[in-house]
Amino acid sequence: MDLKVSHTFLQVRDQDEALVFYRDVLGLEVRADTMFDTFRWLSVGPPDQPNVEIMLEQVGMARAPQDVEVLKELLAKGSLPGLIFTTPDLDGDFEKVRASGAEVTQEPIDQPYGVRDCAFRDPSGNHIRFSSR
């Protein structure tokens, strides 16, 4: 097998708000922004990884109504999966994100498992981490 990650999904409560954060604060490129049926297909990705797309999915898109409510509750608690980005300038990038007003959940620290990392939440509450070796 020769498998590669192509897409991952983040639940967001407001796609416009998420787009501003991921594009304007984190510097990701918009890969797709189009409507299909009643849904908006919105994805972004790192400029130097053209084959990776992060879908900024409206919470509960195409799911049963009872599942949507559960997902909204989990998102509000910050209990859904997040993302880890690697960066060669962890401290500098962290300061840029902090200056945007993002909620910081961990200042940059050296971890015992060999990385320096930090964490914050996106506007929807998703956990985002920066990591550097």
Side-chain angles (χ1 to χ4, degrees), residues 8-10 22 28 54 81-85 126-130:
T8 188
F9 291 77
L10 279 181
Y22 285 93
L28 301 183
I54 302 164
L83 292 173
I84 300 175
F85 294 95
N126 291 300
H127 289 278
I128 305 298
R129 299 187 76 85
F130 287 169

Side-chain angles (χ1 to χ4, degrees), residues 9 22 24 35 40 46 52-53 63 69 74-75 81 90 95 100 111 126 128 133:
F9 291 77
Y22 285 93
D24 300 346
M35 295 298 296
R40 182 179 179 191
V52 174
E53 292 190 43
R63 304 228 173 123
E69 292 309 312
L74 291 171
L75 182 61
L90 184 131
E95 289 304 326
S100 77
Q111 298 287 359
N126 291 300
I128 305 298
R133 291 200 181 265

Side-chain angles (χ1 to χ4, degrees), residues 43-59:
S43 68
V44 294
D48 63 347
Q49 290 184 294
N51 297 322
V52 174
E53 292 190 43
I54 302 164
M55 307 305 299
L56 303 176
E57 181 181 58
Q58 185 70 40
V59 65

Side-chain angles (χ1 to χ4, degrees), residues 64-81:
Q66 63 272 21
D67 293 344
V68 173
E69 292 309 312
V70 171
L71 283 170
K72 285 181 178 178
E73 291 174 15
L74 291 171
L75 182 61
K77 293 177 180 178
S79 298
L80 295 178

Side-chain angles (χ1 to χ4, degrees), residues 11-120:
Q11 300 285 310
V12 299
R13 68 172 177 238
D14 181 309
Q15 289 178 305
D16 289 324
E17 179 184 54
L19 179 59
V20 168
F21 179 77
Y22 285 93
R23 181 193 58 207
D24 300 346
V25 177
L26 298 189
L28 301 183
E29 294 178 340
V30 176
R31 300 284 165 73
D33 189 356
T34 188
M35 295 298 296
F36 74 97
D37 295 329
T38 59
F39 304 108
R40 182 179 179 191
W41 185 265
L42 175 62
S43 68
V44 294
D48 63 347
Q49 290 184 294
N51 297 322
V52 174
E53 292 190 43
I54 302 164
M55 307 305 299
L56 303 176
E57 181 181 58
Q58 185 70 40
V59 65
M61 188 171 87
R63 304 228 173 123
Q66 63 272 21
D67 293 344
V68 173
E69 292 309 312
V70 171
L71 283 170
K72 285 181 178 178
E73 291 174 15
L74 291 171
L75 182 61
K77 293 177 180 178
S79 298
L80 295 178
L83 292 173
I84 300 175
F85 294 95
T86 60
T87 172
D89 184 17
L90 184 131
D91 292 275
D93 289 342
F94 172 80
E95 289 304 326
K96 290 175 190 169
V97 174
R98 183 201 313 255
S100 77
E103 178 188 355
V104 172
T105 57
Q106 178 196 302
E107 300 277 334
I109 60 172
D110 294 321
Q111 298 287 359
Y113 44 87
V115 301
R116 181 168 179 77
D117 68 0
C118 62
F120 49 90

